[in-house]
Each structure stands twice: as structure tokens, then as C-alpha cells.
């Protein structure tokens, strides 16, 4: 299993710049943003993503002068959210996690430097695990602990190539 092969998935060549793509592709199941810290969450069907600003209208996406943009976009797996909800005995919508993107049918890489392609144009680079904050306890008692196990809280990423994304778009793991 290579560094960018989470859970031993087989790979195939996609013919683009020597990158390898996961045979099993996931899909973008949800998009959310918030204009300010602790601000209300807005769910969307489609949105523009840029290298300079992350998800249009989301306060975390803008790269500050001299910054590295490590936290531009947050992603969470639908299965991980469902498991955490079952563990705490609730059934809240995924956006209560305050993540930007909900991923279905794909295990997110747990390796900084791994790259994802969403739709035809957007490329993200995983930078770090998205550790759940104490705010999760305000959402549901025990949720912070339930999201701490094995990257259940999701992953943070920087934007390498922008474009438009929409719910239903394919998500693939790229390998250099």
C-alpha cells in the first residue's frame, strides 16, 4: 500500500500529468459555508472555489498575507458523521460539524500532502486532521470525543486549483 492509498484501494492511470486516480470515486454530498466565526451555516448546491479565497463566502478560505492556507476547506466523511451521531444518540444534520464539504463513498486520505480532485477542475491538498473543538459539546454531549477517533472529525485542505463544484460531483484521490 503506497502513501496515498488509504485502506489499500487499487489504482488506475487517468492519463493526466502522471497522476493516478482511485478506481473507487466518491461524491460530493454537501456544501456549507459560514461568513464569520460562530456565524450561521449556509448550505449550498454549488459554489466557486479559488486558490486565494477557498469556498466563496466562507471566512476560513482567505489566505492571509504570508499564510499557508492550511485551513481553507474542511471535509468530513458522511459515514464518520453518522457513526459519531450513533455514538452520542443523536441524528443531527452534517453541517452542525461546521465542515465545508460532505464526502460520500470515499475514505478521505489521512496523509498530509494527499490530493483530491472534485469535479473537473478543483484540486485540494490535505494538510492536517480537523480536530473537533469544544463547540461540538454545545451541539451534543460527547460529540467532541466521538469525532476524535481515527480522523472522524475530518480533514483540512488547501486549494491548489480552483473552479466550480456542485453537490453530486465526483471526488477522486490523486497521486503524484
Amino acid at each position: 500500500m503506497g502513501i496515498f492509498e488509504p485502506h489499500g484501494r487499487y489504482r488506475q492511470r487517468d492519463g493526466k500529468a502522471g497522476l493516478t486516480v482511485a478506481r473507487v470515486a466518491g461524491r460530493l454530498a454537501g456544501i456549507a459555508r459560514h461568513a464569520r466565526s460562530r456565524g450561521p451555516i449556509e448550505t449550498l448546491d454549488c459554489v466557486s472555489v479559488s486558490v486565494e479565497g477557498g469556498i466563496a463566502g466562507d471566512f476560513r478560505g482567505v489566505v492571509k498575507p504570508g499564510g499557508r492556507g492550511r485551513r481553507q476547506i474542511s471535509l468530513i466523511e458522511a459515514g464518520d458523521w453518522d457513526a459519531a451521531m450513533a455514538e452520542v444518540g443523536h441524528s443531527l444534520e452534517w453541517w452542525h460539524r461546521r465542515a465545508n464539504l460532505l464526502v460520500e463513498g470515499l475514505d478521505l486520505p489521512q496523509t498530509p500532502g494527499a490530493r483530491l480532485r472534485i469535479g473537473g477542475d478543483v484540486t485540494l491538498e490535505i494538510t492536517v486532521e480537523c480536530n473537533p473543538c469544544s463547540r461540538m459539546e454545545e451541539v451534543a454531549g460527547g460529540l467532541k470525543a466521538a469525532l476524535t477517533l481515527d480522523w472522524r472529525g475530518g480533514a483540512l485542505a488547501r486549494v491548489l486549483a480552483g473552479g466550480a463544484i456542485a453537490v453530486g460531483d465526483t471526488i477522486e484521490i490523486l497521486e503524484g
Side-chain angles (χ1 to χ4, degrees):
M1 176 173 5
I3 191 167
F4 296 115
E5 296 180 27
H7 314 292
R9 288 202 170 86
Y10 293 97
R11 305 296 166 162
Q12 68 182 12
R13 287 280 169 192
D14 75 348
K16 291 187 178 183
L19 296 175
T20 304
V21 179
R23 281 188 189 179
V24 177
R27 84 183 230 348
L28 182 58
I31 303 169
R33 67 181 176 193
H34 46 298
R36 65 185 191 287
S37 178
R38 292 190 156 288
I41 298 294
E42 175 185 16
T43 57
L44 308 161
D45 292 325
C46 59
V47 72
S48 176
V49 177
S50 70
V51 173
E52 303 81 17
I55 290 180
D58 189 75
F59 87 102
R60 283 247 187 239
V62 176
V63 179
K64 297 178 176 88
R68 297 180 293 174
R70 290 174 18 129
R71 299 180 57 93
Q72 279 187 294
I73 294 181
S74 55
L75 304 98
I76 188 166
E77 295 175 33
D80 285 345
W81 178 254
D82 292 344
M85 285 290 96
E87 195 170 306
V88 297
H90 286 279
S91 61
L92 301 170
E93 292 291 328
W94 72 274
W95 50 263
H96 285 283
R97 174 62 180 104
R98 305 189 69 77
N100 297 120
L101 304 178
L102 179 67
V103 176
E104 279 185 343
L106 180 75
D107 289 324
L108 290 170
Q110 298 179 356
T111 306
R115 294 179 180 198
L116 304 171
R117 180 172 47 214
I118 304 175
D121 300 319
V122 174
T123 303
L124 305 179
E125 177 184 29
I126 302 295
T127 56
V128 69
E129 179 179 3
C130 186
N131 293 315
C133 65
S134 59
R135 176 124 193 230
M136 293 299 99
E137 288 304 303
E138 296 170 21
V139 172
L143 184 55
K144 180 179 179 184
L147 289 171
T148 301
L149 176 69
D150 193 33
W151 285 57
R152 258 195 204 166
L156 298 173
R158 75 171 47 98
V159 180
L160 299 179
I165 59 173
V167 171
D169 279 353
T170 299
I171 301 177
E172 300 169 308
I173 300 171
L174 303 177
E175 183 178 324

